[in-house]
Amino acid sequence: RGCLDPVRAWLHRRTGAERSVSFQRYADAVLAHDEAFLQAADALEDGIYLFGHTHCQWQLTSRDGRKLFLNPGSCGLPLDGGAGTTPYALVEISPNGTWQAESIRIPFDRAAACRAIRESSQFAEAHVWSDIVCRELETGLEHMTFFLEYMAAYARRIGDDRRPYAVDTWENGWR
């Protein structure tokens, strides 16, 4: 977990001018020189470490060159600010164990994806979640983490200790 704290910190600090800063640029400029991250990476076994969850494409090779950290991004919900594109990655591993990774972006119609979500039965059944997903698609930025943090505080404030929260808690918290 400590090894990935810079990822979470980057997601939470993207405001204003930083909205256009991709995690890849952050990884190259900051994470590649973060001694705590590098020491944690040095302690890991050699190999390829695949990540997800953040929906932000990035890759970084350890300073000894024997570890690859890779998040291919998300083709369906890209949150790394790549306007009009969506990411994926290819990793080729040779018989001798060496690897080569390529991060790729292809065209993606975010507006059409939002229309499809809003026209689906999912939207009628889970419109709060669907609204947040569409906001993320429209902006290319992550909103769900902030909303879930807000909802945890809101639920505590109104005394809703159920998990998952009651439907009215989600609805009222979203308003």
mmCIF file of all heavy atoms in Angstrom, residues 74-101:
data_model
loop_
_atom_site.group_PDB
_atom_site.id
_atom_site.type_symbol
_atom_site.label_atom_id
_atom_site.label_comp_id
_atom_site.label_asym_id
_atom_site.label_seq_id
_atom_site.Cartn_x
_atom_site.Cartn_y
_atom_site.Cartn_z
ATOM 1 N N SER A 74 -8.329 2.390 -18.652
ATOM 2 C CA SER A 74 -9.662 1.814 -18.777
ATOM 3 C C SER A 74 -10.255 2.191 -20.122
ATOM 4 O O SER A 74 -10.440 3.369 -20.410
ATOM 5 C CB SER A 74 -10.561 2.327 -17.655
ATOM 6 O OG SER A 74 -11.894 1.944 -17.873
ATOM 7 N N CYS A 75 -10.550 1.193 -20.920
ATOM 8 C CA CYS A 75 -11.181 1.466 -22.217
ATOM 9 C C CYS A 75 -12.605 1.979 -22.062
ATOM 10 O O CYS A 75 -13.073 2.766 -22.866
ATOM 11 C CB CYS A 75 -11.187 0.205 -23.083
ATOM 12 S SG CYS A 75 -9.585 -0.158 -23.795
ATOM 13 N N GLY A 76 -13.324 1.544 -21.032
ATOM 14 C CA GLY A 76 -14.719 1.919 -20.875
ATOM 15 C C GLY A 76 -14.958 3.158 -20.043
ATOM 16 O O GLY A 76 -15.975 3.822 -20.185
ATOM 17 N N LEU A 77 -14.015 3.501 -19.160
ATOM 18 C CA LEU A 77 -14.174 4.670 -18.296
ATOM 19 C C LEU A 77 -12.810 5.306 -18.050
ATOM 20 O O LEU A 77 -12.262 5.274 -16.954
ATOM 21 C CB LEU A 77 -14.827 4.266 -16.970
ATOM 22 C CG LEU A 77 -15.190 5.373 -15.992
ATOM 23 C CD1 LEU A 77 -16.104 6.407 -16.632
ATOM 24 C CD2 LEU A 77 -15.838 4.785 -14.756
ATOM 25 N N PRO A 78 -12.235 5.900 -19.106
ATOM 26 C CA PRO A 78 -10.911 6.510 -18.952
ATOM 27 C C PRO A 78 -10.989 7.783 -18.106
ATOM 28 O O PRO A 78 -11.781 8.671 -18.385
ATOM 29 C CB PRO A 78 -10.507 6.821 -20.396
ATOM 30 C CG PRO A 78 -11.799 6.951 -21.145
ATOM 31 C CD PRO A 78 -12.774 6.046 -20.461
ATOM 32 N N LEU A 79 -10.155 7.845 -17.067
ATOM 33 C CA LEU A 79 -10.176 8.990 -16.158
ATOM 34 C C LEU A 79 -8.847 9.733 -16.126
ATOM 35 O O LEU A 79 -8.540 10.406 -15.153
ATOM 36 C CB LEU A 79 -10.533 8.526 -14.741
ATOM 37 C CG LEU A 79 -11.882 7.848 -14.585
ATOM 38 C CD1 LEU A 79 -12.096 7.414 -13.150
ATOM 39 C CD2 LEU A 79 -13.000 8.755 -15.058
ATOM 40 N N ASP A 80 -8.076 9.611 -17.163
ATOM 41 C CA ASP A 80 -6.762 10.244 -17.147
ATOM 42 C C ASP A 80 -6.693 11.487 -18.022
ATOM 43 O O ASP A 80 -5.623 11.960 -18.364
ATOM 44 C CB ASP A 80 -5.676 9.245 -17.519
ATOM 45 C CG ASP A 80 -5.956 8.529 -18.831
ATOM 46 O OD1 ASP A 80 -6.968 8.824 -19.484
ATOM 47 O OD2 ASP A 80 -5.148 7.664 -19.193
ATOM 48 N N GLY A 81 -7.837 12.033 -18.372
ATOM 49 C CA GLY A 81 -7.862 13.310 -19.078
ATOM 50 C C GLY A 81 -7.505 13.251 -20.543
ATOM 51 O O GLY A 81 -7.334 14.282 -21.174
ATOM 52 N N GLY A 82 -7.394 12.074 -21.131
ATOM 53 C CA GLY A 82 -7.062 11.960 -22.552
ATOM 54 C C GLY A 82 -8.279 12.240 -23.414
ATOM 55 O O GLY A 82 -9.020 11.343 -23.777
ATOM 56 N N ALA A 83 -8.527 13.499 -23.712
ATOM 57 C CA ALA A 83 -9.727 13.916 -24.432
ATOM 58 C C ALA A 83 -9.870 13.170 -25.754
ATOM 59 O O ALA A 83 -8.958 13.148 -26.574
ATOM 60 C CB ALA A 83 -9.704 15.415 -24.675
ATOM 61 N N GLY A 84 -11.019 12.540 -25.920
ATOM 62 C CA GLY A 84 -11.320 11.879 -27.184
ATOM 63 C C GLY A 84 -10.621 10.553 -27.408
ATOM 64 O O GLY A 84 -10.711 9.987 -28.486
ATOM 65 N N THR A 85 -9.908 10.054 -26.393
ATOM 66 C CA THR A 85 -9.211 8.778 -26.546
ATOM 67 C C THR A 85 -9.460 7.909 -25.325
ATOM 68 O O THR A 85 -9.879 8.384 -24.274
ATOM 69 C CB THR A 85 -7.694 8.962 -26.731
ATOM 70 O OG1 THR A 85 -7.143 9.544 -25.544
ATOM 71 C CG2 THR A 85 -7.372 9.827 -27.938
ATOM 72 N N THR A 86 -9.179 6.639 -25.488
ATOM 73 C CA THR A 86 -9.248 5.693 -24.381
ATOM 74 C C THR A 86 -8.005 4.803 -24.430
ATOM 75 O O THR A 86 -7.494 4.525 -25.523
ATOM 76 C CB THR A 86 -10.558 4.875 -24.437
ATOM 77 O OG1 THR A 86 -10.733 4.180 -23.209
ATOM 78 C CG2 THR A 86 -10.577 3.913 -25.592
ATOM 79 N N PRO A 87 -7.484 4.400 -23.286
ATOM 80 C CA PRO A 87 -6.203 3.685 -23.253
ATOM 81 C C PRO A 87 -6.327 2.166 -23.117
ATOM 82 O O PRO A 87 -7.316 1.646 -22.621
ATOM 83 C CB PRO A 87 -5.551 4.245 -21.997
ATOM 84 C CG PRO A 87 -6.703 4.461 -21.078
ATOM 85 C CD PRO A 87 -7.862 4.883 -21.962
ATOM 86 N N TYR A 88 -5.273 1.509 -23.566
ATOM 87 C CA TYR A 88 -5.034 0.105 -23.240
ATOM 88 C C TYR A 88 -3.541 -0.123 -23.385
ATOM 89 O O TYR A 88 -2.801 0.766 -23.810
ATOM 90 C CB TYR A 88 -5.861 -0.850 -24.110
ATOM 91 C CG TYR A 88 -5.466 -0.937 -25.566
ATOM 92 C CD1 TYR A 88 -4.637 -1.955 -26.014
ATOM 93 C CD2 TYR A 88 -5.952 -0.020 -26.489
ATOM 94 C CE1 TYR A 88 -4.290 -2.056 -27.350
ATOM 95 C CE2 TYR A 88 -5.606 -0.110 -27.832
ATOM 96 C CZ TYR A 88 -4.781 -1.126 -28.254
ATOM 97 O OH TYR A 88 -4.432 -1.222 -29.576
ATOM 98 N N ALA A 89 -3.079 -1.289 -22.995
ATOM 99 C CA ALA A 89 -1.645 -1.576 -23.071
ATOM 100 C C ALA A 89 -1.431 -2.996 -23.571
ATOM 101 O O ALA A 89 -2.270 -3.878 -23.372
ATOM 102 C CB ALA A 89 -0.993 -1.407 -21.703
ATOM 103 N N LEU A 90 -0.318 -3.197 -24.232
ATOM 104 C CA LEU A 90 0.121 -4.514 -24.662
ATOM 105 C C LEU A 90 1.447 -4.816 -23.987
ATOM 106 O O LEU A 90 2.338 -3.964 -23.949
ATOM 107 C CB LEU A 90 0.322 -4.564 -26.175
ATOM 108 C CG LEU A 90 -0.916 -4.391 -27.051
ATOM 109 C CD1 LEU A 90 -0.509 -4.358 -28.523
ATOM 110 C CD2 LEU A 90 -1.907 -5.503 -26.798
ATOM 111 N N VAL A 91 1.557 -6.016 -23.457
ATOM 112 C CA VAL A 91 2.816 -6.460 -22.855
ATOM 113 C C VAL A 91 3.227 -7.732 -23.576
ATOM 114 O O VAL A 91 2.455 -8.681 -23.669
ATOM 115 C CB VAL A 91 2.662 -6.732 -21.339
ATOM 116 C CG1 VAL A 91 3.970 -7.255 -20.762
ATOM 117 C CG2 VAL A 91 2.212 -5.481 -20.608
ATOM 118 N N GLU A 92 4.444 -7.724 -24.096
ATOM 119 C CA GLU A 92 4.988 -8.902 -24.759
ATOM 120 C C GLU A 92 6.106 -9.461 -23.882
ATOM 121 O O GLU A 92 7.042 -8.738 -23.515
ATOM 122 C CB GLU A 92 5.540 -8.526 -26.133
ATOM 123 C CG GLU A 92 6.051 -9.693 -26.912
ATOM 124 C CD GLU A 92 6.550 -9.268 -28.296
ATOM 125 O OE1 GLU A 92 6.013 -8.315 -28.864
ATOM 126 O OE2 GLU A 92 7.501 -9.909 -28.774
ATOM 127 N N ILE A 93 5.961 -10.727 -23.528
ATOM 128 C CA ILE A 93 6.971 -11.389 -22.697
ATOM 129 C C ILE A 93 7.642 -12.453 -23.547
ATOM 130 O O ILE A 93 6.985 -13.351 -24.063
ATOM 131 C CB ILE A 93 6.333 -12.024 -21.445
ATOM 132 C CG1 ILE A 93 5.572 -10.959 -20.657
ATOM 133 C CG2 ILE A 93 7.402 -12.698 -20.585
ATOM 134 C CD1 ILE A 93 4.738 -11.503 -19.520
ATOM 135 N N SER A 94 8.946 -12.329 -23.691
ATOM 136 C CA SER A 94 9.686 -13.282 -24.520
ATOM 137 C C SER A 94 9.980 -14.561 -23.735
ATOM 138 O O SER A 94 9.899 -14.581 -22.506
ATOM 139 C CB SER A 94 10.983 -12.651 -25.019
ATOM 140 O OG SER A 94 11.846 -12.451 -23.927
ATOM 141 N N PRO A 95 10.339 -15.650 -24.433
ATOM 142 C CA PRO A 95 10.645 -16.913 -23.748
ATOM 143 C C PRO A 95 11.763 -16.793 -22.711
ATOM 144 O O PRO A 95 11.781 -17.528 -21.733
ATOM 145 C CB PRO A 95 11.060 -17.845 -24.892
ATOM 146 C CG PRO A 95 10.363 -17.295 -26.095
ATOM 147 C CD PRO A 95 10.358 -15.797 -25.898
ATOM 148 N N ASN A 96 12.673 -15.830 -22.902
ATOM 149 C CA ASN A 96 13.761 -15.687 -21.930
ATOM 150 C C ASN A 96 13.372 -14.803 -20.739
ATOM 151 O O ASN A 96 14.192 -14.525 -19.879
ATOM 152 C CB ASN A 96 15.031 -15.154 -22.607
ATOM 153 C CG ASN A 96 14.908 -13.719 -23.059
ATOM 154 O OD1 ASN A 96 13.877 -13.066 -22.854
ATOM 155 N ND2 ASN A 96 15.949 -13.213 -23.695
ATOM 156 N N GLY A 97 12.099 -14.355 -20.715
ATOM 157 C CA GLY A 97 11.605 -13.602 -19.566
ATOM 158 C C GLY A 97 11.701 -12.097 -19.685
ATOM 159 O O GLY A 97 11.237 -11.379 -18.804
ATOM 160 N N THR A 98 12.325 -11.601 -20.749
ATOM 161 C CA THR A 98 12.350 -10.149 -20.917
ATOM 162 C C THR A 98 10.975 -9.703 -21.396
ATOM 163 O O THR A 98 10.199 -10.484 -21.954
ATOM 164 C CB THR A 98 13.436 -9.706 -21.915
ATOM 165 O OG1 THR A 98 13.171 -10.305 -23.186
ATOM 166 C CG2 THR A 98 14.821 -10.095 -21.423
ATOM 167 N N TRP A 99 10.682 -8.436 -21.182
ATOM 168 C CA TRP A 99 9.371 -7.935 -21.551
ATOM 169 C C TRP A 99 9.489 -6.588 -22.243
ATOM 170 O O TRP A 99 10.499 -5.896 -22.136
ATOM 171 C CB TRP A 99 8.475 -7.798 -20.317
ATOM 172 C CG TRP A 99 9.166 -7.183 -19.129
ATOM 173 C CD1 TRP A 99 9.719 -7.849 -18.081
ATOM 174 C CD2 TRP A 99 9.421 -5.802 -18.892
ATOM 175 N NE1 TRP A 99 10.293 -6.964 -17.210
ATOM 176 C CE2 TRP A 99 10.115 -5.694 -17.677
ATOM 177 C CE3 TRP A 99 9.122 -4.634 -19.590
ATOM 178 C CZ2 TRP A 99 10.518 -4.469 -17.139
ATOM 179 C CZ3 TRP A 99 9.522 -3.418 -19.058
ATOM 180 C CH2 TRP A 99 10.215 -3.353 -17.835
ATOM 181 N N GLN A 100 8.432 -6.281 -22.958
ATOM 182 C CA GLN A 100 8.310 -4.975 -23.599
ATOM 183 C C GLN A 100 6.851 -4.560 -23.450
ATOM 184 O O GLN A 100 5.942 -5.356 -23.712
ATOM 185 C CB GLN A 100 8.693 -5.053 -25.070
ATOM 186 C CG GLN A 100 8.658 -3.721 -25.761
ATOM 187 C CD GLN A 100 9.200 -3.818 -27.176
ATOM 188 O OE1 GLN A 100 9.606 -4.876 -27.637
ATOM 189 N NE2 GLN A 100 9.181 -2.709 -27.871
ATOM 190 N N ALA A 101 6.623 -3.333 -22.994
ATOM 191 C CA ALA A 101 5.261 -2.840 -22.787
ATOM 192 C C ALA A 101 5.017 -1.628 -23.664
ATOM 193 O O ALA A 101 5.903 -0.796 -23.854
ATOM 194 C CB ALA A 101 5.058 -2.473 -21.326
#
